[in-house]
Amino acid sequence: MSTICLLVFLLLSVLRACSQKIEAEDEYDDDMTVNQMLSPRNHQTDATEILNNLLKEYDKKLRPDIGVKPTVIDVDIYVNSIGPVSSINMEYQIDIIFAQTWTDSRLRYNSTMKILTLNSNMVGLIWLPDTIFRNSKNADSHWITMPNQLLRIWNDGKILYTLRLTINAECQLQLHNFPMDAHSCPLIFSSYGYPRDEMVYKWRKNSIEASDQKSWRLYQFDFMGLRNTSDILKTTSGDYVVMTVYFDLSRRMGYFTIQTYIPCILTVVLSWVSFWIKKESTPARTTLGITTVLTMTTLSTVARNSLPRVSYVTAMDLFVTVCFLFVFAAMMEYAALNYYSYCVRRPICGKTKRSNYSVLDVGPPSTVITLNNSMYWQEFDDACIYECLDGKDCQSFFCCFEECKDGAWRKGRVHVDILELDSYSRVFFPTSFLLFNIVYWVGYLYL
């Protein structure tokens, strides 16, 4: 009987111990759940209390460490995109995320939360640098769906402030080598009111980064790289730290080659066709000459539409002007040829030209010359002289008559046959234009 009572007592003891253990585990789980539920609320309360304590006696009108030392602003820039670049307005558009970092000892706090990440609602409650972009024509900050601003406060008082901007900045383009030009477009910023002894800007290491260039709108340019500098601007109101980022751009020639250079070259070559047309075909050669001149005039006007009204000569202006001169010279070549061809067939004699021929004449027979269905009497007489260039006789430097080729007067002189002017032009015009192109392209592309 005693043995049975002992076994029952031991069994009850074991069951009681198990039940106590289960109850302890349930209480522990309940405590963990309560702590997990209360933890966010405690952090939120801490953040609110930290901000309220920091801003209680904070004066946002005063910069950090005023009267003690200059405020150091570390700058970072992330380039989202560049472009387009306007040559006419001499400006370019850039989309950036502009980050500034500084230390404000008034915003130090003691808490387990090392960083407070805040949105734009907190931006207007603390002191911010008065940074301006000196070469911006206009700038926009992004506000959709909320202002694109970020503010972070560390427990040691360090502050990070970033915002997204789209800026139309001025870029003074030097277009002497247009369209084979390269430019360095700057983005300049500094403090508006704080001189160097109160605020100093510094570049951080690897402070400028750029996104993938596939989204950039540099239609006529290639991005060659960037560089940053720091300078001191001396003014009557003080010395200011000026920060500059240069974006190196090189223009692509594809558009201008297709729209200007190739049409100009083809128009010049087309004007040479007249050298292979007979000089008697006056309407054909005149029409061709006038058409090519008008075409060059139109191409010159179109080429200038993509440029500002600069006072100096660009590389494209030089090329178009020389092409126009070649086309105009080809037309003047036919005018000279036509004029002197008429002079060759018109004799000027001292005696009166005979209108009739009679068998009773006892003098030497005359010769009849037929030129362009016109009859001329030619008399080999000492009194008959021939009109040559500019009304000169055969003793001029240039000679246009076969009779002038012989004689002692020709010694030391050059014989130029005006009637063969087309043959000379077929060689002179292509050769000179080829030499001009070699000098032009080598000079602008490689020198």
Side-chain angles (χ1 to χ4, degrees):
M1 186 67 182
S2 60
T3 304
I4 298 173
C5 293
L6 181 62
L7 291 175
V8 172
F9 177 77
L10 291 175
L11 181 62
L12 292 175
S13 299
V14 172
L15 292 174
R16 184 178 180 183
C18 293
S19 63
Q20 290 178 352
K21 184 177 180 181
I22 293 173
E23 291 178 357
E25 290 179 354
D26 292 339
E27 290 178 356
Y28 177 77
D29 292 339
D30 293 340
D31 292 340
M32 289 294 295
T33 305
V34 171
N35 291 334
Q36 290 177 356
M37 294 177 61
L38 294 178
S39 177
R41 182 173 180 83
N42 291 336
H43 287 180
Q44 181 179 357
T45 303
D46 290 344
T48 303
E49 291 179 356
I50 291 172
L51 293 177
N52 291 335
N53 293 331
L54 292 177
L55 300 177
K56 185 180 299 183
E57 297 180 357
Y58 187 88
D59 189 355
K60 66 178 182 181
K61 299 187 295 295
L62 302 179
R63 69 172 181 85
D65 300 324
I66 184 170
V68 179
K69 62 181 181 179
T71 302
V72 179
I73 309 296
D74 294 325
V75 180
D76 296 270
I77 295 178
Y78 182 81
V79 181
N80 290 321
S81 65
I82 301 178
V85 180
S86 175
S87 299
I88 297 178
N89 298 325
M90 290 197 176
E91 67 180 20
Y92 72 100
Q93 187 177 92
I94 182 171
D95 185 352
I96 63 172
I97 296 178
F98 187 66
Q100 302 174 91
T101 305
W102 69 95
T103 300
D104 193 341
S105 59
R106 297 171 295 179
L107 296 179
R108 292 176 180 173
Y109 62 91
N110 293 321
S111 175
T112 56
M113 300 177 62
K114 294 183 178 182
I115 301 176
L116 292 176
T117 302
L118 308 170
N119 61 10
S120 59
N121 295 326
M122 185 66 182
V123 171
L125 302 179
I126 66 172
W127 178 89
L128 298 176
D130 60 341
T131 306
I132 62 168
F133 292 89
R134 289 185 170 270
N135 65 327
S136 67
K137 292 186 176 181
N138 55 72
D140 295 321
S141 57
H142 294 255
W143 298 88
I144 304 299
T145 59
M146 286 289 290
N148 295 176
Q149 297 174 333
L150 170 67
L151 184 66
R152 288 180 180 176
I153 302 177
W154 277 261
N155 58 358
D156 60 352
K158 187 175 72 171
I159 301 173
L160 171 64
Y161 173 56
T162 67
L163 70 161
R164 184 184 175 190
L165 298 171
T166 298
I167 303 171
N168 289 336
E170 183 179 3
C171 181
Q172 292 295 330
L173 305 179
Q174 299 298 323
L175 301 173
H176 294 86
N177 294 336
F178 177 87
M180 293 159 283
D181 49 343
H183 306 281
S184 294
C185 292
L187 182 64
I188 307 171
F189 62 92
S190 68
S191 172
Y192 183 79
Y194 292 102
R196 180 175 57 173
D197 55 354
E198 294 191 34
M199 184 182 295
V200 177
Y201 288 90
K202 290 185 178 181
W203 293 109
R204 300 182 66 180
K205 187 178 180 180
N206 300 325
S207 56
I208 303 178
E209 298 181 359
S211 64
D212 189 2
Q213 299 181 21
K214 293 181 180 179
S215 61
W216 295 12
R217 294 178 294 171
L218 294 174
Y219 307 122
Q220 296 183 12
F221 292 87
D222 288 321
F223 179 71
M224 309 304 295
L226 54 84
R227 63 187 189 278
N228 54 337
T229 61
S230 299
D231 299 301
I232 302 298
L233 176 64
K234 296 184 178 181
T235 65
T236 56
S237 59
D239 299 342
Y240 294 86
V241 179
V242 177
M243 314 293 281
T244 307
V245 185
Y246 291 96
F247 301 96
D248 297 330
L249 306 175
S250 178
R251 193 184 300 272
R252 300 172 184 170
M253 283 194 58
Y255 172 80
F256 302 98
T257 301
I258 297 174
Q259 295 294 325
T260 302
Y261 282 100
I262 292 179
C264 287
I265 294 174
L266 294 179
T267 303
V268 173
V269 174
L270 181 62
S271 68
W272 300 340
V273 175
S274 64
F275 302 149
W276 280 267
I277 301 178
K278 294 181 180 180
K279 60 179 177 293
E280 291 82 7
S281 303
T282 302
R285 297 190 65 165
T286 303
T287 302
L288 180 61
I290 294 176
T291 302
T292 52
V293 169
L294 294 179
T295 302
M296 281 305 308
T297 303
T298 303
L299 290 175
S300 176
T301 303
V302 173
R304 293 293 301 182
N305 289 337
S306 58
L307 285 175
R309 296 181 179 179
V310 294
S311 58
Y312 48 83
V313 178
T314 65
M316 180 177 287
D317 291 336
L318 176 61
F319 189 87
V320 173
T321 302
V322 172
C323 290
F324 181 84
L325 292 178
F326 269 95
V327 171
F328 186 77
M331 185 176 180
M332 290 297 101
E333 182 270 347
Y334 177 66
L337 177 63
N338 186 65
Y339 175 76
Y340 291 115
S341 297
Y342 173 75
C343 294
V344 166
R345 66 175 182 261
R346 187 183 63 180
I348 300 178
C349 300
K351 296 182 180 180
T352 305
K353 190 191 315 180
R354 298 187 182 183
S355 59
N356 296 313
Y357 176 72
S358 174
V359 296
L360 300 177
D361 293 337
V362 294
S366 303
T367 303
V368 179
I369 302 177
T370 303
L371 291 176
N372 294 337
N373 298 326
S374 300
M375 304 295 292
Y376 295 92
W377 290 94
Q378 183 182 22
E379 297 185 2
F380 296 95
D381 193 280
D382 293 338
C384 182
I385 59 176
Y386 292 88
E387 184 181 12
C388 199
L389 286 173
D390 298 330
K392 300 176 182 178
D393 58 14
C394 290
Q395 294 188 6
S396 61
F397 184 80
F398 294 98
C399 180
C400 52
F401 292 99
E402 293 294 329
E403 290 82 356
C404 296
K405 292 183 179 181
D406 301 325
W409 72 272
R410 191 173 178 272
K411 185 177 181 180
R413 293 179 171 85
V414 178
H415 174 75
V416 178
D417 190 355
I418 299 298
L419 297 178
E420 298 295 328
L421 188 58
D422 278 345
S423 299
Y424 302 148
S425 300
R426 294 169 191 170
V427 177
F428 172 76
F429 276 79
T431 303
S432 57
F433 189 68
L434 178 62
L435 291 176
F436 163 73
N437 274 272
I438 293 175
V439 174
Y440 178 86
W441 294 109
V442 171
Y444 278 104
L445 292 178
Y446 301 103
L447 298 181

